């Protein structure tokens, strides 16, 4: 008899970095390393790879958010270029590190969700 796993939202499990099948086990064994299998349900996660998708989304998100704010700061206060580098460098690195893991989890969960059932188990 097959175990029953409820239809869990890939957005909720992905952003929480949980197993896309059961929603209980951890998705990552390191900062960005996907576990080989779920500790709770035993899902084999070796074939799940998000590729460069999360990084591309972060580039678009940061470009959309940081560039207009940096331009506004330049037009309003006209700080020297070294101050721009000192200000926006840590902001970009911090937001990148904050978003990279949840977006990779989301991509893995969406990949799991949209595979055919013969490929999932």
């Amino acid at each position: 008899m097959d175990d029953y796993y409820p239809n869990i939202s890939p957005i909720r499990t992905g952003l929480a970095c949980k197993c896309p099948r059961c929603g209980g086990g951890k998705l990552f064994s390191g900062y960005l390393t996907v576990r080989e299998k779920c500790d709770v349900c035993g899902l084999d996660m070796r074939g799940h790879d998000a590729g460069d998708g999360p990084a591309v989304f972060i580039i678009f998100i940061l470009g959309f958010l940081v560039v207009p704010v940096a331009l506004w700061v330049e037009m309003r206060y006209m700080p020297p270029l070294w101050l721009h580098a000192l200000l926006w460098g840590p902001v970009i690195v911090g937001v990148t590190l904050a978003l990279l893991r949840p977006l990779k989890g989301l991509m893995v969960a969406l990949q799991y969700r949209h595979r055919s059932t013969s490929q999932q188990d």
Side-chain angles (χ1 to χ4, degrees):
M1 180 176 159
D2 291 334
D3 292 328
Y4 171 75
Y5 295 101
N7 197 4
I8 300 173
S9 166
I11 295 171
R12 190 178 77 216
T13 58
L15 293 177
C17 300
K18 298 292 186 178
C19 172
R21 180 165 71 179
C22 69
K26 293 181 180 179
L27 183 62
F28 297 109
S29 62
Y31 183 66
L32 291 175
T33 306
V34 178
R35 290 184 179 275
E36 289 193 17
K37 71 176 198 169
C38 177
D39 294 337
V40 176
C41 70
L43 173 66
D44 183 12
M45 292 190 273
R46 288 178 290 183
H48 297 281
D49 183 24
D52 292 333
V56 171
F57 286 129
I58 290 172
I59 290 169
F60 287 139
I61 292 167
L62 284 175
F64 181 76
L65 296 176
V66 172
V67 171
V69 174
L71 289 173
W72 178 81
V73 168
E74 173 61 30
M75 299 302 271
R76 177 86 171 138
Y77 302 105
M78 290 192 228
L81 289 178
W82 65 267
L83 190 57
H84 274 294
L86 191 66
L87 176 65
W88 301 115
V91 168
I92 290 169
V93 170
V95 172
T96 298
L97 292 176
L99 290 179
L100 195 54
R101 189 173 177 168
L103 286 181
K104 184 171 182 174
L106 176 62
M107 296 292 285
V108 168
L110 287 171
Q111 182 184 56
Y112 171 81
R113 174 69 172 261
H114 294 290
R115 286 184 170 188
S116 66
T117 55
S118 64
Q119 293 176 336
Q120 288 181 4
D121 295 322

